[in-house]
Amino acid sequence: MARNKYPEETINQILTVALNLFIEKGYEQTSVQDIINELGGLTKGAIYHHFKSKEEIWQAVTDHMFKGIDEVLSPVRDDNGLTGREKLRKISRVSLDNPAQNELASAAPNLLRNPKLLAAQIENIIEKAVPVYIQPIIEQGMRDGSIRTDHPRELSEVLMILTNVWLNPAVIPASPETMLRKIRLFDEILKGLGLDLFDEQMFQRYEELLRLSAREVSKET
């Protein structure tokens, strides 16, 4: 493959290939040469022109992954026409409907065997998603009366950790049926906290993603 005329396209190709390899093989088991081999002729020198090391590629990959999340969450957080509870419900819906969820479900990564990717996800939750997006929304809900809590930071962390770790089959493997029971329980817990976030359309979307992930796992075994 000839070197791309536009550097940003070359960088995007490198990041896409690297992410797929990191998910499939794990960060430690992926070499720069593995990335080169999947790029169809791009030279090692061309890669090192943009990235000094595999660690730098990794950092760019995670920045690229979470940038997409920012683009989803920011407009919802800043929508002055919604209450805090409505914003949380909308975030849940748009996150599930994001086409990237299908791609991730199809990849069916095992994050317990890919601790660097799991750690990056948790770090992003604690350091960015919670303080920048979820906690401000919950605090708005406290002011407008749509959310009842005296612990906005803690509730924000609970929502994000349970959603992205406990309800993530890539972290805690489970059958679609088991995961759906967990999601129903999560819904009950939230309603007990005064947060009615889920509807049947969202449950159906969860089921679709879970069955897609299960099919990919069954292919591998």
Side-chain angles (χ1 to χ4, degrees):
M1 180 180 73
R3 184 175 173 182
N4 200 296
K5 179 179 178 181
Y6 302 99
E8 64 273 15
E9 293 184 10
T10 301
I11 291 171
N12 285 335
Q13 288 175 345
I14 294 170
L15 297 183
T16 298
V17 166
L19 174 59
N20 290 338
L21 286 171
F22 292 152
I23 289 174
E24 179 185 349
K25 300 178 63 175
Y27 173 82
E28 298 297 341
Q29 287 71 40
T30 299
S31 67
V32 173
Q33 188 60 51
D34 290 330
I35 297 171
I36 293 169
N37 292 343
E38 294 296 321
L39 285 168
L42 196 68
T43 66
K44 184 176 290 189
I47 287 184
Y48 282 116
H49 176 75
H50 298 289
F51 303 102
K52 295 184 176 68
S53 63
K54 186 176 75 168
E55 179 63 30
E56 196 168 291
I57 295 174
W58 166 258
Q59 188 59 57
V61 164
T62 54
D63 289 345
H64 185 70
M65 277 196 317
F66 298 130
K67 178 183 177 183
I69 296 173
D70 294 342
E71 291 171 350
V72 168
L73 299 186
S74 292
V76 179
R77 179 198 58 195
D78 300 334
D79 187 341
N80 294 326
L82 300 176
T83 67
R85 184 173 65 179
E86 288 169 342
K87 288 182 179 182
L88 286 182
R89 172 174 276 191
K90 187 171 182 179
I91 281 177
S92 299
R93 184 177 295 113
V94 298
S95 297
L96 283 173
D97 290 339
N98 188 340
Q101 292 287 357
N102 287 56
E103 185 177 343
L104 188 60
S106 296
N110 185 327
L111 293 182
L112 293 180
R113 297 177 185 172
N114 206 334
K116 196 171 180 70
L117 188 57
L118 177 58
Q121 181 176 344
I122 293 174
E123 181 180 38
N124 183 72
I125 288 171
I126 299 302
E127 295 186 359
K128 188 163 188 180
V130 165
V132 176
Y133 299 106
I134 306 304
Q135 185 174 341
I137 289 174
I138 288 178
E139 289 172 346
Q140 178 202 328
M142 294 168 63
R143 293 191 297 270
D144 64 34
S146 63
I147 297 174
R148 301 190 308 272
T149 182
D150 295 324
H151 309 285
R153 171 74 189 200
E154 291 75 13
L155 178 57
S156 302
E157 291 182 357
V158 165
L159 287 173
M160 295 302 290
I161 294 297
L162 287 181
T163 302
N164 291 280
V165 178
W166 188 60
L167 292 179
N168 187 347
V171 180
I172 305 175
S175 68
E177 292 75 20
T178 298
M179 287 301 303
L180 285 171
R181 288 197 299 271
K182 292 171 69 171
I183 292 164
R184 295 281 182 182
L185 175 60
F186 184 51
D187 180 48
E188 291 180 18
I189 292 171
L190 293 182
K191 285 178 178 174
L193 296 172
L195 291 176
D196 186 7
L197 301 184
F198 291 90
D199 56 30
E200 281 304 315
Q201 184 179 356
M202 292 167 67
F203 285 126
Q204 290 171 9
R205 175 60 173 155
Y206 259 118
E207 185 172 10
E208 176 187 345
L209 291 171
L210 291 168
R211 296 197 182 282
L212 179 60
S213 178
R215 282 200 299 272
E216 295 303 316
V217 171
S218 65
K219 288 178 185 177
E220 295 176 3
T221 55

